[in-house]
Amino acid sequence: MNYTYLDSLATYGVGGAHPGGLQLTKQLLAREKVNRKSAILDVGCGTGQTAAYIFRQYQCYVTALDNNQVMVDKAIQRFRSLHLPIKVVKGQTEHLPFKNETFDFILSESVTAFTNIPVSLSEYKRVLKPNGVLLAIEMTAEPLPFTKKEKQFICGFYGVSDVLTETEWRYHFLKSGFRQVKIKKHKHHFVPQDVMYANDFMLSNQIHEKHYEILEQHQQIVSKYKDKLNYRVYRCTV
Ligand SMILES: C[S@@+](CC[C@H](N)C(=O)[O-])C[C@H]1O[C@@H](n2cnc3c(N)ncnc32)[C@H](O)[C@@H]1O
């Protein structure tokens, strides 16, 4: 069985599996005008840590979507045990099962980089209301270029077709119809709040040893390429 990095995150049920963790999520949302009437979509919600936080903090309409059944099941388990009325949808970011102009905010926390980027971004744009906001925390290549071999290795490990630079991300956001793109580089690097340091795990009953190796390898990649592989926060408005 060939497990992927995302399979390993799902098996360990890592909550807050994005750079900056829940702390960064809280900071980003605190700057937005979220209220009880807001409709928020957390794409690639994983085990639902962020969605649960949003509902508890804002009591608004929260939808959590993921395409991985293990993640979906763990998100449902989390919301049930906390009695949170969050809608959970199994679906693809590339084909969002929602009507046009449904959401005020979309959060993509280390998700879109793993998908067909232009297709997902057009979908986000379609389902956001006029003046809606996309907040995306995404893996980003620093200007220091990867060698071809390094890029191939990183893409193979994460199962992504490319690692975009800030300029390339901006290009895709604008091409998908977002009007304004604000980009922020945060001082925290990938490492301190990364998956091995997370304090929110929902373990599957059986965990193949390969999953631990994969998460460890992720950690090694992050430190080895710390000058080349980083992340940015992208705030895009419709
Ligand atoms: C790195 S994890 C981040 C999970 C969560 N956002 C968090 O911060 O904990 C990426 C998530 O995106 C989901 N995902 C990847 N590709 C997807 C797609 N095309 N459609 C929906 N979800 C996807 C994965 O299943 C996984 O749960």
Side-chain angles (χ1 to χ4, degrees), residues 9 16-18 44 46 66-68 71 91-94 109-111 115:
L9 287 182
H18 59 271
D66 206 287
N67 68 351
N68 180 307
M71 289 296 203
Q92 298 281 133
T93 54
E94 294 89 345
E109 298 186 311
S110 194
V111 176
T115 72

Side-chain angles (χ1 to χ4, degrees), residues 148-215:
K148 206 173 163 196
K149 219 169 146 193
E150 287 171 339
K151 189 88 160 275
Q152 264 176 358
F153 169 69
I154 288 171
C155 288
F157 178 80
Y158 289 108
V160 298
S161 54
D162 201 357
V163 186
L164 303 186
T165 61
E166 198 180 293
T167 310
E168 289 165 337
W169 274 108
R170 184 194 294 279
Y171 166 82
H172 283 292
F173 289 123
L174 293 174
K175 191 150 186 266
S176 308
F178 287 95
R179 262 188 312 121
Q180 200 189 34
V181 181
K182 286 191 181 158
I183 305 177
K184 203 154 181 210
K185 181 175 177 176
H186 279 252
K187 58 178 184 293
H188 303 294
H189 202 269
F190 243 135
V191 183
Q193 289 93 351
D194 212 356
V195 297
M196 304 289 265
Y197 297 86
N199 54 12
D200 178 347
F201 291 98
M202 297 176 78
L203 304 180
S204 293
N205 289 336
Q206 292 198 331
I207 302 185
H208 194 281
E209 62 189 29
K210 192 85 192 129
H211 291 302
Y212 187 79
E213 287 169 25
I214 290 175
L215 292 187

Side-chain angles (χ1 to χ4, degrees), residues 5-6 9-10 14-19 25 42-50 65-69 71 91-94 96 107-112 114-116 120 195:
Y5 168 66
L6 293 179
L9 287 182
V14 183
H18 59 271
T25 307
D42 184 16
V43 290
C45 63
T47 65
Q49 187 194 63
T50 288
L65 172 138
D66 206 287
N67 68 351
N68 180 307
Q69 189 62 53
M71 289 296 203
Q92 298 281 133
T93 54
E94 294 89 345
L96 292 175
L107 261 89
S108 161
E109 298 186 311
S110 194
V111 176
T112 308
F114 294 93
T115 72
N116 181 328
S120 298
V195 297

